[in-house]
C-alpha cells in the first residue's frame, strides 16, 4: 500500500485525513498524521472559550477519537526532505526520528506572527490554541478577584485594564467577548465600578476587520466605543515591559492582561526546513488543484493546503490573488485535497479549488455581532445568532455539536460560569506549600 503522510492536524489536515478514511478502499493506502497536539482546535470558538460561553474541551476535536483508521503520531515535524520521501520528527521526549512516505500532504498551518516589541514575549498571550484562550479567561477572572480586595488606586486600575493588539477577526472577536465578560462580571463584584474598566484595542492600520468593507468596520468601532472601550487606529505598541504598555501615539497605561492577535506568521518548518518550493512569504507554492509546484513544474507526490499554502484564488477578480488564511477555506481545501489525492491514485484528474465566499460573520459579545455578504450587512442580535448557528453546524462531528449546544442552553438558563481555574497551571503548589501562604511576587515597576 502507498503511505500517505499528513503534516499537521489543523483544519485542512484533519478534514483531509477524515475524508481519506471514508473514501479510500481497503488496502489502497495507509494514512499517517503527525501533529504535536492530540486534537484539532476549532479556532472560531476560542473567543467564546475565553468568555466562558463554550467549554474549552468542546472547542477541540480529538484526533484519535475521530480518525479511527489513521495512524496518529504525537510529534513535531522539524524538516521535510521530499527528494528522499522522508520527514524528521521530534517526539515529546526530545528524541528525533525519520518517517518515510510515498505521498506527502503539507497542512502545518501558520503560527502567531511575533514582532520584536520589548516586553511582548514576556507579557502577552496569543490566541491560536485552547490553552491560550483558557489562560486569558483565568487571568481576567483572577484579576477581578484581586481588584475587588484592593482600594481604588493604580494597583486596582492595572488589574482592570486589558489590551488586545490586532484588529483582525481574531482580535476583534476576542476583544468583544472579553469586554462582554468583564461587563457581566460587575454584577458579581459590587466593589468595582463600570468606569474602572479600561479596554484598549490597538490596530496598526486605519481600520479594523479588513474582511468587511469600510462602513461596517466603522460601525464596529462605534459599537465598541459606546460600550466603554477605546479603539486605537493607526497605532502600534512600542513597549510592554512589565505590563506597562507604550503606544506610538504617546499614550501609556499599565495592563494586567495583554492579548496578542497581530496576524499569522509563516510556519518555520515550512518556510525554512523543506526542499518543497516556497514563495517569498515562506508559503508552499501550489497549483489550483492543491498539488505542490506550478503548472509548468509540478512536484510529484506532494500536496498542500490551508494557512501554510499559497492557494490561487480562482474566485477572486484580482489576477494572481491567493485565498486568505481562514477556516472557511482551510476545511474546504482539506476535503478537496483528499478527493484529489484519491482521484490521482485511481488515474483520474484532480479538480481545481474554487470557493465563493459565503460572507463573514463575527461575534462581538453575547447578543452582539456583525455579518456581511456583499452589500448585505446585518448587525446586533440577528448577526450574533447567525454566528452561533453557522459555527455549531460547522464544527466537525455531531458529538461536538451536541456538547457545544448543551453548554449554550445551560448558560441561557443559569448564566455563564465565572469560575477561575488558574491554579491548574501550577498543580503542585498546594502540595508543596502544605497550606502555608506562598510568597507573593513583587509588583511590576
Amino acid at each position: 500500500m502507498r503511505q500517505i503522510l499528513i503534516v499537521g492536524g489543523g483544519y485542512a489536515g484533519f478534514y483531509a485525513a477524515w475524508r481519506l478514511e471514508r473514501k479510500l478502499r481497503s488496502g489502497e493506502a495507509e494514512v499517517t498524521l503527525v501533529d504535536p497536539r492530540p486534537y484539532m482546535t476549532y479556532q472560531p470558538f476560542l473567543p467564546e472559550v475565553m468568555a466562558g460561553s463554550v467549554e474549552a474541551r468542546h472547542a477541540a476535536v480529538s484526533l484519535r477519537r475521530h480518525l479511527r483508521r489513521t495512524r496518529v503520531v504525537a510529534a513535531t515535524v522539524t524538516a521535510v526532505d521530499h527528494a528522499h520521501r522522508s520527514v524528521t520528527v521530534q517526539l515529546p521526549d526530545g528524541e528525533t526520528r525519520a518517517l518515510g512516505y510515498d505521498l506527502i500532504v503539507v497542512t502545518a498551518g501558520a503560527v502567531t506572527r511575533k514582532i520584536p516589541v520589548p516586553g511582548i514575549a514576556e507579557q502577552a498571550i496569543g490566541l491560536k490554541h485552547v490553552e491560550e484562550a483558557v489562560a486569558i479567561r483565568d487571568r481576567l477572572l483572577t484579576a477581578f478577584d484581586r481588584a475587588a480586595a484592593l482600594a481604588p488606586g493604580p494597583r486596582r486600575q492595572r488589574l482592570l485594564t486589558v489590551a488586545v493588539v490586532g484588529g483582525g477577526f481574531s482580535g476583534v472577536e476576542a476583544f468583544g467577548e472579553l469586554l462582554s465578560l468583564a461587563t457581566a462580571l460587575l454584577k458579581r463584584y459590587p466593589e468595582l465600578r463600570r468606569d474602572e474598566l479600561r479596554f484598549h484595542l490597538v490596530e496598526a492600520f486605519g481600520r479594523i476587520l479588513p474582511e468587511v468593507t469600510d462602513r461596517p468596520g466603522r460601525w464596529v468601532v462605534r459599537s465598541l466605543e459606546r460600550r466603554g472601550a477605546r479603539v486605537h487606529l493607526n497605532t502600534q505598541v512600542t513597549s510592554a515591559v512589565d505590563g506597562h504598555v507604550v503606544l506610538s501615539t504617546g499614550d501609556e497605561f499599565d495592563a494586567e492582561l495583554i492579548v496578542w492577535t497581530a496576524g499569522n506568521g509563516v510556519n518555520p518548518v515550512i518556510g525554512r526546513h523543506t526542499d518543497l518550493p516556497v514563495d517569498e512569504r515562506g508559503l508552499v507554492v501550489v497549483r489550483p488543484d492543491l498539488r505542490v509546484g506550478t503548472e509548468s513544474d509540478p512536484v510529484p507526490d506532494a500536496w498542500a493546503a490551508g494557512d501554510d499554502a499559497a492557494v490561487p484564488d480562482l474566485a477572486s477578480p484580482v489576477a494572481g490573488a491567493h485565498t486568505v488564511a481562514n477556516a472557511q477555506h482551510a476545511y474546504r481545501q482539506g476535503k478537496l485535497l483528499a478527493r484529489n489525492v484519491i482521484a490521482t491514485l485511481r488515474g483520474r484528474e484532480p479538480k481545481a479549488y474554487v470557493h465563493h465566499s459565503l460572507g463573514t460573520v463575527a461575534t462581538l459579545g453575547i447578543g452582539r455581532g456583525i455579518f456581511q455578504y456583499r452589500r448585505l450587512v446585518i448587525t446586533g442580535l440577528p448577526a450574533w445568532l447567525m454566528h452561533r448557528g453557522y459555527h455549531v453546524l460547522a464544527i466537525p462531528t455531531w458529538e461536538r455539536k451536541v456538547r457545544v449546544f448543551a453548554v449554550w442552553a445551560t448558560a441561557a438558563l443559569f448564566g455563564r460560569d465565572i469560575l477561575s481555574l488558574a491554579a491548574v497551571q501550577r498543580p503542585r503548589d498546594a502540595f508543596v506549600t502544605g497550606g502555608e501562604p506562598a510568597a507573593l511576587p513583587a509588583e511590576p515597576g
Side-chain angles (χ1 to χ4, degrees), residues 257-428:
L257 175 59
I258 303 172
V259 182
W260 185 267
T261 63
N264 289 329
V266 174
N267 191 307
V269 175
I270 305 306
R272 297 192 294 270
H273 302 287
T274 175
D275 57 352
L276 296 173
V278 297
D279 66 10
E280 65 280 0
R281 297 170 296 168
L283 302 178
V284 181
V285 176
V286 299
R287 297 151 47 115
D289 59 12
L290 306 180
R291 286 186 285 189
V292 174
T294 62
E295 295 291 344
S296 60
D297 189 19
V299 177
D301 302 322
W303 303 74
D307 294 355
D308 63 2
V311 180
D313 189 352
L314 301 185
S316 173
V318 180
H322 295 94
T323 58
V324 298
N326 62 24
Q328 191 173 137
H329 284 298
Y331 97 88
R332 286 179 171 83
Q333 289 170 8
K335 293 194 293 185
L336 175 66
L337 190 153
R339 291 197 299 269
N340 282 350
V341 167
I342 292 172
T344 57
L345 289 177
R346 297 173 185 172
R348 303 195 304 267
E349 285 298 313
K351 295 182 178 180
Y353 176 76
V354 183
H355 173 63
H356 296 273
S357 174
L358 302 176
T360 54
V361 62
T363 175
L364 303 173
I366 290 182
R368 299 178 175 92
I370 184 169
F371 168 81
Q372 181 175 21
Y373 176 69
R374 297 181 180 177
R375 295 185 178 181
L376 174 65
V377 178
I378 300 174
T379 60
L381 180 62
W384 178 75
L385 292 172
M386 293 172 67
H387 177 275
R388 286 206 159 182
Y390 172 80
H391 285 299
V392 79
L393 292 175
I395 189 170
T397 80
W398 279 102
E399 172 252 347
R400 277 298 182 261
K401 299 180 197 296
V402 172
R403 290 182 186 274
V404 169
F405 189 80
V407 172
W408 283 344
T410 303
L413 290 174
F414 303 108
R416 60 176 118 207
D417 195 333
I418 62 169
L419 177 65
S420 169
L421 293 177
V424 301
Q425 298 172 36
R426 301 179 303 276
R428 297 184 64 251

Side-chain angles (χ1 to χ4, degrees), residues 185-263:
L185 285 174
L186 292 173
K187 299 177 182 179
R188 308 296 181 185
Y189 291 85
E191 306 92 337
L192 306 178
R193 303 189 313 273
R194 176 66 182 83
D195 60 6
E196 291 183 284
L197 296 182
R198 299 286 190 274
F199 273 70
H200 300 266
L201 177 62
V202 183
E203 168 55 41
F205 295 100
R207 52 167 298 183
I208 62 173
L209 292 177
E211 296 87 349
V212 303
T213 53
D214 289 346
R215 187 175 179 182
R218 291 194 297 269
W219 177 88
V220 173
V221 171
R222 292 195 302 271
S223 173
L224 294 172
E225 290 177 339
R226 283 195 298 267
R227 294 161 62 187
R230 186 170 178 189
V231 180
H232 304 263
L233 299 178
N234 294 309
T235 305
Q236 297 178 346
V237 175
T238 60
S239 177
V241 176
D242 293 332
H244 182 71
V245 179
V246 181
L247 304 181
S248 58
T249 57
D251 290 340
E252 300 183 26
F253 53 87
D254 291 324
E256 178 67 14
L257 175 59
I258 303 172
V259 182
W260 185 267
T261 63

Side-chain angles (χ1 to χ4, degrees), residues 3-333:
Q3 301 296 317
I4 300 174
L5 179 68
I6 301 176
V7 179
Y11 294 107
F14 174 83
Y15 278 102
W18 206 17
R19 182 59 62 94
L20 286 170
E21 280 194 351
R22 296 180 176 187
K23 299 299 181 180
L24 283 171
R25 297 168 183 158
S26 177
E28 192 169 17
E30 288 184 341
V31 181
T32 299
L33 186 148
V34 182
D35 195 281
R37 287 179 171 80
Y39 56 81
M40 184 272 280
T41 301
Y42 190 72
Q43 292 181 358
F45 276 156
L46 294 186
E48 295 205 50
V49 170
M50 288 190 326
S53 301
V54 171
E55 170 62 34
R57 285 186 175 87
H58 300 168
V61 179
S62 170
L63 298 178
R64 290 186 179 275
R65 175 167 184 164
H66 299 290
L67 300 180
R68 299 176 181 176
R69 292 173 19 194
T70 297
R71 178 192 176 201
V72 177
V73 178
T76 300
V77 173
T78 58
V80 178
D81 182 3
H82 188 63
H84 297 92
R85 301 298 193 272
S86 174
V87 299
T88 303
V89 303
Q90 184 177 54
L91 302 179
D93 62 4
E95 177 189 352
T96 61
R97 64 175 59 171
L99 295 179
Y101 62 84
D102 298 305
L103 184 151
I104 192 169
V105 173
V106 181
T107 55
V111 298
T112 300
R113 182 168 67 99
K114 292 186 284 291
I115 299 175
V117 176
I120 284 296
E122 295 78 17
Q123 299 294 327
I125 304 175
L127 188 60
K128 287 193 78 70
H129 304 290
V130 173
E131 307 96 307
E132 294 172 318
V134 172
I136 292 168
R137 165 182 162 81
D138 287 342
R139 178 80 66 86
L140 182 67
L141 294 174
T142 301
F144 266 71
D145 284 332
R146 293 173 58 194
L150 297 174
R155 292 175 60 196
R156 182 154 125 171
Q157 186 61 75
R158 174 194 175 99
L159 290 166
L160 299 177
T161 300
V162 174
V164 175
V165 184
F169 252 74
S170 295
V172 171
E173 288 194 320
F175 189 78
E177 288 288 352
L178 281 174
L179 182 58
S180 177
L181 172 59
T183 304
L185 285 174
L186 292 173
K187 299 177 182 179
R188 308 296 181 185
Y189 291 85
E191 306 92 337
L192 306 178
R193 303 189 313 273
R194 176 66 182 83
D195 60 6
E196 291 183 284
L197 296 182
R198 299 286 190 274
F199 273 70
H200 300 266
L201 177 62
V202 183
E203 168 55 41
F205 295 100
R207 52 167 298 183
I208 62 173
L209 292 177
E211 296 87 349
V212 303
T213 53
D214 289 346
R215 187 175 179 182
R218 291 194 297 269
W219 177 88
V220 173
V221 171
R222 292 195 302 271
S223 173
L224 294 172
E225 290 177 339
R226 283 195 298 267
R227 294 161 62 187
R230 186 170 178 189
V231 180
H232 304 263
L233 299 178
N234 294 309
T235 305
Q236 297 178 346
V237 175
T238 60
S239 177
V241 176
D242 293 332
H244 182 71
V245 179
V246 181
L247 304 181
S248 58
T249 57
D251 290 340
E252 300 183 26
F253 53 87
D254 291 324
E256 178 67 14
L257 175 59
I258 303 172
V259 182
W260 185 267
T261 63
N264 289 329
V266 174
N267 191 307
V269 175
I270 305 306
R272 297 192 294 270
H273 302 287
T274 175
D275 57 352
L276 296 173
V278 297
D279 66 10
E280 65 280 0
R281 297 170 296 168
L283 302 178
V284 181
V285 176
V286 299
R287 297 151 47 115
D289 59 12
L290 306 180
R291 286 186 285 189
V292 174
T294 62
E295 295 291 344
S296 60
D297 189 19
V299 177
D301 302 322
W303 303 74
D307 294 355
D308 63 2
V311 180
D313 189 352
L314 301 185
S316 173
V318 180
H322 295 94
T323 58
V324 298
N326 62 24
Q328 191 173 137
H329 284 298
Y331 97 88
R332 286 179 171 83
Q333 289 170 8

